Amino acid sequence: MKPSRLFWKFFVAFCMATACSFFIGVGLLRMTQSDPALDVVNAELANVVTRLIETGGLESAEPLLVQQGATTRALALYDSEGRFRLGAREVSLLPRSAVRVRSPSGEIYQLAIANSKMSGATPFLIGGAVSIVFSALLAWYFSGPLAHLKRGFRFIARGQLSTRVVPHVGARRDEIADLAREFDGMAAQLEKLWLAQQRLLHDVSHELRSPLTRLQVAVGLLRQSPNERPEMLARVEREAGRLERLLGEVLTLARLKAGDTTGRVEKLDLMDLIAAIVDDAHFEAQAKRCRVRLEGAQAFVTQADGELLYRAYENVIRNAVKYSPPEADVVVRARATARDLVVEVIDEGPGVCEAERGEIFDAFRRLDQDQSVEGFGLGLAIAREAVERHGGRIWAEAGPNGLGLRIFIVVSLRGDTDDRVTTRRLG
């Protein structure tokens, strides 16, 4: 497995800590290491002071101790109780290394010699100090963005879906930064889904309000004018059918978005499916003197949910017929490759501007707001979910010469192509 960026950051940090501990330790050792020649001089000076005290007492050694205490600061004389008497006060009394001296009068003194050699614990102290500094810097480097992530999860749990953490992470490039970007992507998707849910609830309530209002009016008129009963019952039946179709499409879209489909996946020829839809659409389009024709009829056998794709192609083709003017042509052009079936549905309608072409696949999105055109704005949304459920893509472009609209539907080849039929759930 290739080492990650975070691995290299840890590796470099520990290498730097080790190297700094080594170089700082060596530097301090060189700075504090005693000079062998100086140690010899100090030892000879201590021997001279010892002989002077042993032969002539403290008085004979006092001038020498006072002089070196002001210059070399190499010796210090303490009494038997450890009290300082003469020499350099900076030289500490270490009983194990002190030289015991007896004067002719019988008094006991302790002669301490300056020793600049580093203590055995000093390298461990240096290494510990450097390790603490680098550990603190490393902990700060990693705990900062993790604290922002923790706070971001807390805010998301409270419903603040606009929370983002990438601006707080900075320009770092490692797995933690990748995690922050993934968090922001998750938060953006959650916010998008929440807004879509709110918009869906609003649109459903809006679409339900109109037929329910007409139902209430029809019931009221029926009570006031019993002689208009047949007409009012027809109106009630019409509005009830409209409500039933709306609820059916909403439930279909909700199941598709939730990934729950009840259709069976089986081997079928999509071109046969499309040809049947084109025949039905052409027959119905004759009412407005329109023509629907299919170009390209090469077989494309794949594993798919036939009912789901039937609704996708049908919604797109019927939508093209719906928005085409009288005596217009709707062309369904199919082209099969080794792996994909590309279907173009071209109409001569008013078209859609480039900025709004992606919005026509949103639920309840009707750009024209023309109430004379029946529909709920769910057909293309269901088509997109059905195509994407099969791993395909759907998008819209301007028609030929900038007139009308052209919708592309791409479905990829899936499963075996032999005569065996298999069924399974999509997921």
Side-chain angles (χ1 to χ4, degrees), residues 183-231:
F183 174 89
D184 282 5
M186 177 199 70
Q189 185 65 17
L190 287 175
E191 185 177 20
K192 178 182 177 181
L193 292 175
W194 183 82
L195 292 175
Q197 182 188 40
Q198 299 302 310
R199 186 170 62 249
L200 180 62
L201 290 174
H202 173 270
D203 293 338
V204 169
S205 62
H206 176 75
E207 292 291 336
L208 288 174
R209 187 178 295 115
S210 297
L212 286 175
T213 300
R214 289 192 289 269
L215 279 174
Q216 292 173 347
V217 171
V219 171
L221 292 176
L222 183 59
R223 289 175 177 173
Q224 295 176 6
S225 304
N227 55 342
E228 298 182 1
R229 180 177 180 181
E231 182 180 351

Side-chain angles (χ1 to χ4, degrees), residues 267 301-303 413-420 422:
K267 179 183 173 184
V301 180
T302 184
Q303 299 281 346
L413 184 67
R414 303 176 67 181
D416 299 330
T417 57
D418 55 16
D419 294 333
R420 179 171 43 89
T422 59

Side-chain angles (χ1 to χ4, degrees), residues 137-164:
L137 292 175
L138 200 61
W140 174 82
Y141 182 77
F142 289 112
S143 63
L146 292 179
H148 289 303
L149 281 170
K150 178 182 177 182
R151 186 162 54 250
F153 280 113
R154 187 186 307 121
F155 288 162
I156 290 292
R158 293 176 182 173
Q160 301 178 20
L161 301 181
S162 60
T163 302
R164 301 292 184 269

Side-chain angles (χ1 to χ4, degrees), residues 28-40 42 114-118:
L28 290 177
L29 185 62
R30 286 183 174 274
M31 291 172 58
T32 59
Q33 192 174 28
S34 61
D35 186 355
L38 182 60
D39 289 341
V40 171
N42 291 342
N115 185 3
S116 59
K117 292 184 178 179
M118 184 180 294

